[in-house]
Amino acid sequence: MGNKDFGGHITMRLSTGELFSLRGTLNMNTAGQSNEAVTNQDGSVDRVATVQPKRAEISFADRGVDYDALMKADRFNVTVEEDFTGVSHYFTGAFVVGDPQVNRMNGEVTGLSIAAEKYNRSNG
């Protein structure tokens, strides 16, 4: 039937050793492709596929990260671990995309995602 457990303590570590304290939602797009339906004038429907990177939208606590350096960093590997479920996610050859926005009222950083060439999942 598949795993019915979600949430709990989730950590994200870069291959550089840097650990991010995630906050809020962790949204992952790991299919590597998005599909769009296109309707033709005769009413038939075609599917248009667009290749895309494996990616994860992240928000985390501002702990003094140098965002300029993070945005310019070489590619790195990212490991996301779900302690509660035992699931691990591996993004290989990743880099940061987006525009980091720091909310100084609550210390949350939003507007960033990681994009990678490869993604693997281990169910523990």
Side-chain angles (χ1 to χ4, degrees):
M1 279 291 180
N3 191 346
K4 295 181 181 181
D5 297 326
F6 300 94
H9 186 242
I10 299 175
T11 58
M12 184 179 87
R13 181 180 303 278
L14 308 185
S15 57
T16 61
E18 191 161 14
L19 183 66
F20 287 81
S21 182
L22 295 179
R23 185 182 289 181
T25 302
L26 172 67
N27 293 314
M28 298 194 310
N29 302 75
T30 59
Q33 175 176 317
S34 67
N35 294 337
E36 178 185 357
V38 178
T39 305
N40 301 308
Q41 291 298 317
D42 64 359
S44 63
V45 179
D46 293 336
R47 175 174 53 180
V48 178
T50 302
V51 179
Q52 62 186 17
K54 280 67 166 163
R55 61 194 193 280
E57 178 185 331
I58 55 175
S59 64
F60 51 92
D62 182 22
R63 301 273 168 85
V65 171
D66 181 343
Y67 298 108
D68 193 45
L70 181 64
M71 300 305 288
K72 294 177 182 177
D74 291 335
R75 292 174 187 241
F76 45 80
N77 298 328
V78 177
T79 302
V80 176
E81 304 231 349
E82 300 179 28
D83 290 345
F84 180 62
T85 63
V87 175
S88 297
H89 306 272
Y90 304 99
F91 293 87
T92 306
F95 54 92
V96 178
V97 296
D99 183 15
Q101 183 175 33
V102 181
N103 181 323
R104 295 309 306 155
M105 293 300 291
N106 66 13
E108 185 173 39
V109 180
T110 59
L112 293 178
S113 296
I114 56 169
E117 292 184 13
K118 296 180 183 176
Y119 167 80
N120 287 302
R121 175 183 168 142
S122 171
N123 290 325

